[in-house]
Amino acid sequence: MRKKIWAALLLLTAAVNVIAWNSQAFCDWHVKHLFPLSVNLYGRLMSVFPFSVGEGMIVLAVLFTAAAIVMGFMRIFVRKGRVKRLISVFTRVYAWGFLAVFMIMTWNCFILYHASEFDETYMVQKAQRTYTDRELIQVRNHIVEELNALTEQMERDEDGFLVYQGDMEQEAIRAMQKLGEEYELLSGYYPQAKGITASDFLSQQYMMGYYFPFSMEANYNTSMYIVNVPATLCHELAHLKGFIYEDDANFIGFLACINSDYPFYRYSGYLSVLNYVEKEYKKASGKQEFGSVSLAKSVCADDIFLTSEAWERVEENAVVETAVVKAASNQFTETTLVINGVSDGMKSYSRVVQLLLEYYDGILYDYEYDGGAVLVEAVTE
């Protein structure tokens, strides 16, 4: 009977995945009506714990997998007795554990990859438009101007590093809920983001944070330079509202930060998209820096992942070389994205530039129905 129940649940979950791959309407309905239950009920329960439950789950999963490998070898050589019964019990537990993982990942992750993206939901007309290098340069210059102005307002220590005195985790929730007043899917309850104990190992993967679907937590790297924290918090919280794509989460994190009442948050928001925009800007301008605004030296200095001191600590305590960890992490992320239908893998992260071009349409330039865009302020070549 238990085997039949297990098989029925497996087939049902597989069927849900097939439906998700073929029906965006079903996925959108799930994001709007069912997925919020995970945050409002289970996520609220997990928020009781002051530490990352997800991090603990990862450790248990590694130990459980190691035990499964050992049991697998033992099963080859042991044919009877208590050990055989123990292996049999472990196999059943592992099978149910696998099913639970498959079901949770389907509900809290796989389905989300086939739902409408942010601009398909909230910027439908703009999502169908094509923008030129002129608009890209306008957006880039605006971001640089904002950063240059904000860097003068930042509080720094005696070494020139940024400092922040407020409660960043609570401000992230306030920033996201404020954004939810304009974008309905972002409204409602948010659990407080949690720092990762093994942040140095996370740094070796060049990861700023992660969304953990098994505990419905937003986790962030506490080792990284402080200016990265606000945008990362909002990015990870965006995943908790069903926006699983990294470009969507990048953009939502940006929006939440730049609309914050705190200059430090706004600075983090603009800085979080700078490298994506700069990369596309350099492709557009080539060797000519036409109509460009130069970045202030202090902005360039703040545009780092970790401080040199933090990197030294990470490398000193590293069990495995950073290059090896990074390569393995990139391969895992790339494979995960492709399996879930993101054909361009990690390149999808940079699609945030397209979202920025859509967002600033009507703010920095006006789009005309003839298929082109007219800048509010002309860019000279």
Side-chain angles (χ1 to χ4, degrees):
M1 184 64 182
R2 284 178 296 183
K3 289 183 179 179
K4 291 181 179 180
I5 294 174
W6 185 92
L9 290 174
L10 180 66
L11 289 174
L12 177 62
T13 307
V16 170
N17 277 274
V18 171
I19 294 171
W21 274 84
N22 292 279
S23 175
Q24 189 178 67
F26 164 74
C27 298
D28 288 345
W29 180 82
H30 173 82
V31 168
K32 186 173 182 179
H33 299 287
L34 297 182
F35 180 72
L37 297 176
S38 295
V39 182
N40 295 330
L41 299 177
Y42 187 56
R44 199 181 291 267
L45 174 64
M46 291 296 103
S47 68
V48 172
F49 301 95
F51 55 87
S52 172
V53 177
E55 187 175 16
M57 288 181 173
I58 291 174
V59 174
L60 289 176
V62 171
L63 295 175
F64 198 59
T65 301
I69 294 172
V70 172
M71 289 291 181
F73 279 110
M74 291 177 64
R75 189 170 187 177
I76 298 173
F77 302 104
V78 178
R79 300 293 182 180
K80 57 184 178 179
R82 293 181 180 178
V83 175
K84 183 181 179 180
R85 289 195 293 273
L86 176 63
I87 294 172
S88 178
V89 171
F90 183 88
T91 301
R92 289 197 295 272
V93 172
Y94 193 86
W96 282 100
F98 168 81
L99 178 61
V101 168
F102 187 32
M103 294 176 69
I104 293 171
M105 285 296 290
T106 295
W107 180 285
N108 291 338
C109 189
F110 295 157
I111 295 176
L112 309 185
Y113 275 106
H114 307 288
S116 297
E117 297 184 48
F118 187 87
D119 58 351
E120 293 176 324
T121 304
Y122 292 112
M123 300 187 291
V124 180
Q125 291 184 336
K126 294 179 182 180
Q128 300 171 357
R129 300 173 183 173
T130 300
Y131 298 95
T132 69
D133 292 344
R134 294 186 306 164
E135 292 80 62
L136 171 64
I137 294 165
Q138 188 81 344
V139 169
R140 181 265 177 192
N141 287 346
H142 171 73
I143 289 171
V144 171
E145 287 170 352
E146 291 294 325
L147 285 167
N148 288 347
L150 286 166
T151 192
E152 299 297 327
Q153 303 176 41
M154 296 297 103
E155 183 180 349
R156 300 177 184 273
D157 62 19
E158 61 275 9
D159 296 318
F161 292 121
L162 293 166
V163 295
Y164 182 79
Q165 304 297 337
D167 187 336
M168 273 194 283
E169 295 168 355
Q170 280 302 120
E171 176 53 26
I173 293 174
R174 283 193 290 268
M176 291 296 291
Q177 289 178 333
K178 180 179 179 181
L179 203 60
E181 295 173 4
E182 183 174 358
Y183 306 106
E184 182 186 3
L185 289 177
L186 296 174
S187 62
Y189 169 76
Y190 286 91
Q192 185 161 295
K194 300 175 182 179
I196 296 297
T197 302
S199 285
D200 284 356
F201 181 65
L202 206 64
S203 297
Q204 288 187 280
Q205 302 171 59
Y206 286 78
M207 288 182 64
M208 293 184 177
Y210 65 81
Y211 152 66
F212 199 68
F214 299 101
S215 60
M216 293 309 293
E217 293 173 309
N219 302 272
Y220 69 98
N221 184 338
T222 58
S223 296
M224 63 185 174
Y225 189 38
I226 193 171
V227 75
N228 298 308
V229 175
T232 299
L233 295 178
C234 295
H235 172 114
E236 301 304 332
L237 290 174
H239 288 320
L240 292 176
K241 290 301 179 180
F243 291 98
I244 199 67
Y245 283 99
E246 295 300 326
D247 54 317
D248 280 348
N250 282 338
F251 179 65
I252 292 169
F254 163 80
L255 279 186
C257 285
I258 68 168
N259 286 288
S260 170
D261 297 329
Y262 295 88
F264 189 87
Y265 255 72
R266 296 199 295 274
Y267 191 56
S268 177
Y270 286 114
L271 204 57
S272 71
V273 298
L274 176 64
N275 288 329
Y276 295 115
V277 175
E278 284 285 89
K279 182 179 180 180
E280 297 302 321
Y281 165 75
K282 288 175 181 176
K283 289 181 185 177
S285 62
K287 293 183 179 179
Q288 283 185 319
E289 294 191 6
F290 49 94
S292 65
V293 178
S294 298
L295 275 166
K297 289 183 179 180
S298 56
V299 175
C300 295
D302 290 331
D303 187 22
I304 57 175
F305 177 39
L306 266 68
T307 63
S308 56
E309 182 181 350
W311 268 125
E312 287 179 11
R313 186 192 66 249
V314 169
E315 296 297 347
E316 285 177 4
N317 298 328
V319 176
V320 182
E321 290 185 5
T322 297
V324 176
V325 175
K326 181 183 178 184
S329 175
N330 286 348
Q331 186 59 53
F332 175 78
T333 303
E334 183 81 14
T335 303
T336 301
L337 290 170
V338 172
I339 287 175
N340 283 286
V342 186
S343 58
D344 53 353
M346 290 179 68
K347 292 180 181 177
S348 64
Y349 284 49
S350 62
R351 285 205 297 264
V352 68
V353 177
Q354 174 65 24
L355 293 170
L356 290 169
L357 289 168
E358 294 169 13
Y359 174 71
Y360 281 113
D361 185 349
I363 299 176
L364 298 179
Y365 40 83
D366 293 322
Y367 188 92
E368 293 187 339
Y369 290 105
D370 63 2
V374 178
L375 297 182
V376 174
E377 187 175 333
V379 176
T380 58
E381 298 190 16

